[in-house]
Amino acid sequence: MDLIDTYRHQGLRRQLIEALRKRGIQNEKVLEAIYALPRHYFLDRAFEEWAYQDKAFPIAAEQTISQPYTVAYMSDILEVGKRMKVLEVGTGSGYQAGILALLGARVFTIERQKELYDQAAQFLPKLGFPQIRFFHRDGYKGLPEFAPFDRIIVTAGAPSVPTALRDQLVVGGIMVIPVGEESQVMLRIRRISEHLFEEEPLGDFRFVPFLDGLEG
Ligand code: SAH
């Protein structure tokens, strides 16, 4: 794939930023990151036109690249700070991982589909991003050998909050996870102390399912 970011693409991104603002995204750092990262690089060439609409889009292995609004919203409520250790479950296209890296995070991202893991692990380094590490793993288990994490973000709809993941949060850390079967409620979970977690429900979303085990 050739990586060409034209004035037209940049103009479309500016329009997308305005659309996100209208929908209530106020976090300037998040908006800047979305402006900085060409989303059309993450879609097939044939679908370039769709890249800057505020819509989810099919990628390989029957998965989707999340809607820009969802990426912006989750990145905002995750309260990412510079040099934080962030675990992402569900690498997919790698777009959300790129946004987290642009926000200054050190990103550990896990994908269960081999095909998607391979694509993202090969593609993102071409854009730079030495601060992102890729793993072909089952996200239910997290990455115990790199825990604890300052932040955890799950980008697939989970039937419930996986305990193993929650336990990999640092005390004071935040996890954002959409929970539910058909549609999901976005939960922001703060680890208050070793055994105390505070849950805050924040809006309804629709994600592809969080699945057990590895694929491919
Ligand atoms: N963050 C992605 C969105 C991907 S959609 C992006 O920016 O494009 C959700 C992804 O979660 C899918 O790729 C799916 O394969 C993956 N997934 C689902 N269950 C998983 C699990 N148990 N472990 C790791 N990844 C999982």
Side-chain angles (χ1 to χ4, degrees):
M1 189 206 299
D2 36 338
L3 303 176
I4 301 168
D5 189 33
T6 63
Y7 283 124
R8 193 176 70 84
H9 293 123
Q10 290 162 26
L12 290 171
R13 276 207 299 289
R14 255 191 295 276
Q15 287 174 21
L16 172 62
I17 299 299
E18 287 320 308
L20 294 175
R21 264 191 229 284
K22 284 212 183 77
R23 282 198 68 180
I25 303 293
Q26 294 178 346
N27 186 321
E28 290 302 321
K29 289 204 167 66
V30 168
L31 293 172
E32 273 169 32
I34 289 177
Y35 183 69
L37 188 60
R39 188 168 181 264
H40 68 278
Y41 290 175
F42 295 81
L43 267 56
D44 267 4
R45 190 86 186 270
F47 304 118
E48 248 189 53
E49 293 301 321
W50 294 83
Y52 297 109
Q53 301 192 16
D54 191 13
K55 294 196 170 115
F57 204 79
I59 53 174
E62 292 168 25
Q63 301 304 319
T64 57
I65 176 170
S66 301
Q67 187 179 346
Y69 174 75
T70 306
V71 172
Y73 184 82
M74 292 181 88
S75 304
D76 180 28
I77 64 175
L78 195 61
E79 300 176 11
V80 183
K82 285 210 174 3
R83 284 175 293 281
M84 279 184 181
K85 253 170 87 180
V86 179
L87 173 64
E88 179 194 29
V89 178
T91 311
S93 67
Y95 179 74
Q96 171 78 73
I99 296 293
L100 294 169
L102 288 173
L103 291 170
R106 291 179 286 145
V107 184
F108 297 73
T109 184
I110 317 182
E111 172 58 55
R112 65 184 286 280
Q113 295 269 3
K114 179 77 161 59
E115 183 183 358
L116 293 173
Y117 156 79
D118 282 340
Q119 274 180 18
Q122 281 167 26
F123 174 61
L124 272 290
K126 291 191 183 140
L127 303 178
F129 295 124
Q131 67 278 54
I132 306 179
R133 299 174 66 171
F134 300 87
F135 299 85
H136 179 221
R137 296 275 189 97
D138 177 4
Y140 266 99
K141 304 192 177 82
L143 282 177
E145 71 271 44
F146 294 101
F149 295 95
D150 301 302
R151 300 288 185 264
I152 298 178
I153 174 174
V154 178
T155 68
S160 62
V161 181
T163 320
L165 276 185
R166 220 182 56 163
D167 289 345
Q168 290 176 32
L169 259 187
V170 76
V171 171
I174 298 176
M175 169 162 157
V176 170
I177 178 170
V179 176
E181 306 269 356
E182 282 289 296
S183 73
Q184 294 84 28
V185 174
M186 193 67 74
L187 285 187
R188 175 160 61 183
I189 300 171
R190 288 178 200 269
R191 186 169 200 169
I192 307 295
S193 68
E194 191 60 28
H195 298 292
L196 189 61
F197 294 86
E198 185 186 85
E199 284 186 6
E200 198 183 344
L202 296 165
D204 296 320
F205 288 82
R206 208 171 256 273
F207 282 83
V208 295
F210 194 58
L211 301 171
D212 250 334
L214 290 181
E215 193 90 35

